[in-house]
Amino acid sequence: MHDSCFLETADRIGTRLCRDALWSGDRCNWLGWAMEAVNGSWLTAYRAQGSSLYDGTAGIALFLGRLYNFTRDALQKSAALGALNHAISAAGDLDPTLRPALYSGATGIAYATIELGVLFNDDRMVTQGLKALGPAAEIPDGYNWLDIIGGSAGAIQVLLETADRFCDSDLKERALKHGRLLLRTAVKSDRGWSWDTLPGQTEKHLLGYGHGAGGIGAALARLWSATENAEYRDAALESFRYERSYFSPKDRNWPDLRSMAVYGVPKDQPVYAMAWCHGAPGIGLSRLCAAELMEDAEILQELDDAVQTTAAACSNIVFPASGSLCLCHGLGGNADLLLNAAELRDRQDLRSIAENVGHQANLQLVRDNLPWPCGVTGAGETPNLMLGLAGIGHFYLRLYDSAQVPSILLLSSANQHKVTRPVVENSFTAATAQS
């Protein structure tokens, strides 16, 4: 039985996004908080959104399109198309070295185009997205981005998922090119295999899903499943072994290996994050993906550790002390692990914990009309998917019906193909079709 309060909250957020959209012709954008690199430091800035899935209009379009699938609100559909038009038109402004990225590049924009085409029953949109996806995922000269958020591991996820969905052998071959790059760039040590995912920014190779070995391992496991090439299976297991060597049984978590000196943390003091990008929730998603593909007792144990640690962190929610609700490094992303595990491992107790996060946020924030806690540290609300309102709305949509709303944090999950295609009129704008 779906709890209508979750859909009402998602609809409230979607309606607000429609209200705040800034239009120019058939394109729209939003203003919001973001982090900008200035003279080697990260500073908050209030600016127009970019084009990417992570923190741009492609991600906002995806949320509004999935919301429209339930509400049939014409304004939400219009804003989804306007946001997608902006994303496509601004894709050329992306860093060319990030074009293959799912969350940060043009590959994610193509993915959003395909998804909206399916939701709106518009074959032209689907065709446009499929046509754009292959070239967007092509590996450029000098390419060295490898992780889920900004590199090859994320590209592999969307290429394999789409290749399987649309029986496209070319997309599968492009995924294999990224897989071969990951095999070539792996650093092999006594601990296992790891990757330099943020060159020059860390002393040790990172753990976790968004930037670390866990996300890369999940992508390699998917490649093994798609090809039965044992090299990918062995590489996936080696990436998990690398992470296992850092696991703390006492904390039931994996440390964040980024340099914490800038935050005043002593060099030898471990920091245990709780996020999709760093820490147990994301590592849980990587092991959940692997557990669906291969039998391994250590993977199952690590999945249990990650789920239990995440479940504990999602209990006793009190805002603002409990932090943000964003998908990247907030409670929304953490609870998404519990929703995925509830679906794929038949753990309804975990769904109850995730649902309680949504209920508590409604009680503590919506009731008193308080701002949504977003993921830009030291700043206010922002509209985008991974750090802001669109992602929080997407979390509530998943609470309402996770079978019909696939996770945006784990594209290889088994429920990815369950989205229905409602019979509605073609609505892809001419500007988008020509972009």
Side-chain angles (χ1 to χ4, degrees):
M1 191 71 165
H2 302 311
D3 191 330
S4 63
C5 78
F6 295 139
L7 180 58
E8 290 168 5
T9 301
D11 185 44
R12 179 193 294 262
I13 292 173
T15 298
R16 181 174 162 192
L17 287 171
C18 291
R19 181 200 70 186
D20 294 342
L22 302 172
W23 285 86
S24 176
D26 60 3
R27 303 169 187 175
C28 66
N29 199 348
W30 288 261
L31 296 174
W33 288 99
M35 299 297 294
E36 296 283 357
V38 179
N39 297 326
S41 300
W42 288 98
L43 301 176
T44 56
Y46 194 74
R47 61 164 174 79
Q49 303 298 283
S51 58
S52 71
L53 196 68
Y54 185 93
D55 61 356
T57 55
I60 299 172
L62 182 64
F63 162 62
L64 290 173
R66 287 180 172 174
L67 177 62
Y68 170 79
N69 198 38
F70 295 95
T71 65
R72 291 297 190 270
D73 185 324
L75 291 177
Q76 292 168 0
K77 181 180 181 182
S78 177
L81 291 167
L84 185 63
N85 284 335
H86 172 269
I88 293 174
S89 67
D93 298 333
L94 292 167
D95 183 339
T97 63
L98 291 175
R99 282 188 61 80
L102 170 59
Y103 295 96
S104 305
T107 292
I109 297 173
Y111 169 75
T113 304
I114 295 167
E115 288 295 292
L116 263 64
V118 171
L119 289 165
F120 297 161
N121 196 32
D122 193 322
D123 290 336
R124 286 195 304 157
M125 288 183 72
V126 174
T127 300
Q128 180 76 8
L130 289 171
K131 183 178 178 181
L133 180 57
E138 189 66 34
I139 299 175
D141 292 338
Y143 182 71
N144 62 352
W145 297 105
L146 307 172
D147 61 14
I148 285 284
I149 290 180
S152 288
I156 288 168
Q157 272 203 10
V158 69
L159 288 168
L160 288 180
E161 193 276 326
T162 310
D164 182 44
R165 195 175 186 181
F166 295 95
C167 301
D168 191 322
S169 59
D170 177 67
L171 294 180
K172 181 178 178 180
E173 179 53 39
R174 291 178 187 272
L176 292 174
K177 289 181 180 179
H178 283 278
R180 291 191 286 270
L181 174 63
L182 292 178
L183 293 179
R184 289 197 304 272
T185 54
V187 176
K188 303 172 184 179
S189 70
D190 292 341
R191 287 182 177 269
W193 293 15
S194 62
W195 288 261
D196 188 5
T197 57
L198 296 176
Q201 299 181 47
T202 62
E203 296 179 9
K204 298 178 180 179
H205 293 170
L206 297 178
L207 316 176
Y209 194 78
H211 292 296
I216 292 174
L220 291 167
R222 287 275 285 133
L223 282 170
W224 171 71
S225 177
T227 65
E228 297 186 351
N229 182 337
E231 282 188 287
Y232 294 123
R233 183 181 188 276
D234 294 344
L237 292 174
E238 284 295 306
S239 73
F240 299 150
R241 186 167 73 86
Y242 173 76
E243 290 191 324
R244 191 172 303 130
S245 72
Y246 284 98
F247 177 68
S248 168
K250 173 179 175 290
D251 299 281
R252 217 173 187 183
N253 202 347
W254 295 256
D256 183 346
L257 296 181
R258 291 175 295 173
S259 174
M260 296 293 171
V262 68
Y263 304 109
V265 179
K267 184 176 181 180
D268 296 328
Q269 179 178 321
V271 174
Y272 295 96
M274 282 299 301
W276 171 74
C277 44
H278 302 278
I283 286 180
L285 285 174
S286 75
R287 301 313 194 264
L288 186 62
C289 174
E292 293 298 297
L293 303 173
M294 57 181 69
E295 294 184 8
D296 186 282
E298 289 179 302
I299 287 174
L300 291 175
Q301 180 59 57
E302 289 165 342
L303 173 59
D304 183 64
D305 288 328
V307 165
Q308 295 308 315
T309 300
T310 304
C314 288
S315 303
N316 303 316
I317 303 303
V318 178
F319 294 103
S322 295
S324 83
L325 266 173
C326 80
L327 295 182
C328 182
H329 45 262
L331 286 165
N334 293 354
D336 197 71
L337 167 62
L338 305 183
L339 289 175
N340 276 294
E343 288 252 317
L344 299 178
R345 310 301 292 180
D346 194 23
R347 290 283 305 276
Q348 295 310 303
D349 58 313
L350 299 177
R351 179 179 298 279
S352 297
I353 296 172
E355 289 176 346
N356 187 58
V357 173
H359 283 307
Q360 290 302 314
N362 272 341
L363 286 172
Q364 298 177 44
L365 300 170
V366 175
R367 181 186 59 188
D368 296 327
N369 200 29
L370 296 176
W372 288 106
C374 294
V376 181
T377 304
E381 292 180 327
T382 195
N384 60 62
L385 182 67
M386 294 300 292
L387 300 175
L389 299 177
I392 296 171
H394 195 276
F395 167 57
Y396 273 96
L397 269 186
R398 295 256 301 142
L399 290 177
Y400 179 69
D401 191 345
S402 59
Q404 291 297 322
V405 183
S407 175
I408 192 59
L409 304 183
L410 184 65
L411 264 61
S412 57
S413 61
N415 67 355
Q416 197 66 28
H417 301 301
K418 294 183 180 178
V419 179
T420 57
R421 292 185 64 163
V423 180
V424 294
E425 73 284 358
N426 280 355
S427 53
F428 200 24
T429 66
T432 301
Q434 294 168 3
S435 297

